[in-house]
Amino acid sequence: MRMILAVWLPAAVALAAAVPSTAGSDPIAIYQIVGDAIPAPLDDLDGDPVRGRAIVAGRKGNCLACHEAPIPEEPFHGNLGPPLDGIGSRASSGALRLRLVAPRTLNPDTVMPAFHQVEGLRRVLAPHRGSPILAAQEIEDVIAYLLTLR
Ligand code: HEC
C-alpha cells in the first residue's frame, strides 16, 4: 500500500501543476518539447490565420509593441524583437509554437512573453495569475497567421 502511494502522489502533484484549477481560467495545454520546437499542435487544435492576425494586431497579443509586421492599419510597430515579415519561410510551425509558449527555454533572458505558461513567471498581477495570456486555440491561430508571412 505504501509503495503504491509513493508512486501515485508525484503523478497527482504533476497533474495539478499542469492544469491549474482556478475557476474561469483557461487551462494550460500539455505539450512536449522536441529539440527547439513543440511539433504537435496544442490540444490537437487547428489554427485560423484570420483570427491569428487579429490577435497579433490587437491588445491581447500586443505583438506590435515589440515586432514589425505587415499590418499597415496599425501605425506604431516596435523593434525590440526581430521583424515578423517572412517568418513563415524562416521558421516551422513547431519552432514558432515553442517561441510563443515557452521562449525562455531558448533564451532565459528574453523579454518575449511566455504566452501560454503560468508557472515560473515573475510579477504577474493578481487577477491574471493562473491564466495564460493566450489560450491554446489562440496560440494555434497566431501560428497559422505567422505561417502566411512568407
Ligand atoms: C515585450 C516584447 C515582445 C512582445 C510583446 C512579443 N515579442 Fe516576440 N520576441 C521578442 C524578442 C526580444 C524576440 C527575440 C528573441 C529573444 O529575445 O530571444 C522575440 C522573438 C519572437 C519570434 C522569433 C523570431 C525569429 O526571427 O526568430 C517570434 C516568431 C515572435 N517573437 C513572435 C511574437 C508574437 C506572435 C507576439 C505576440 C503574440 C510576440 N512575439 C510578442 C519580444 C517580444
Side-chain angles (χ1 to χ4, degrees), residues 52 55-56 58 60-67 79-84 87 90-91 95-97 99-100 103 106-113 115 133-134 139 142-143 145-146:
I55 294 165
V56 170
K60 191 145 192 208
N62 217 7
C63 316
L64 300 182
C66 297
H67 293 279
N79 60 6
L80 217 53
L84 296 178
I87 189 76
R90 295 196 298 274
L96 292 172
R97 196 169 288 110
R99 275 142 191 88
L100 289 166
L106 298 161
N107 172 5
D109 298 322
T110 188
V111 295
M112 166 88 179
F115 282 97
I133 306 173
L134 297 179
I139 293 284
V142 168
I143 293 169
Y145 166 65
L146 294 177

Side-chain angles (χ1 to χ4, degrees), residues 123-141:
R123 299 168 63 186
V124 179
L125 288 178
H128 300 299
R129 281 183 204 139
S131 245
I133 306 173
L134 297 179
Q137 180 66 65
E138 293 171 318
I139 293 284
E140 294 305 322
D141 294 343

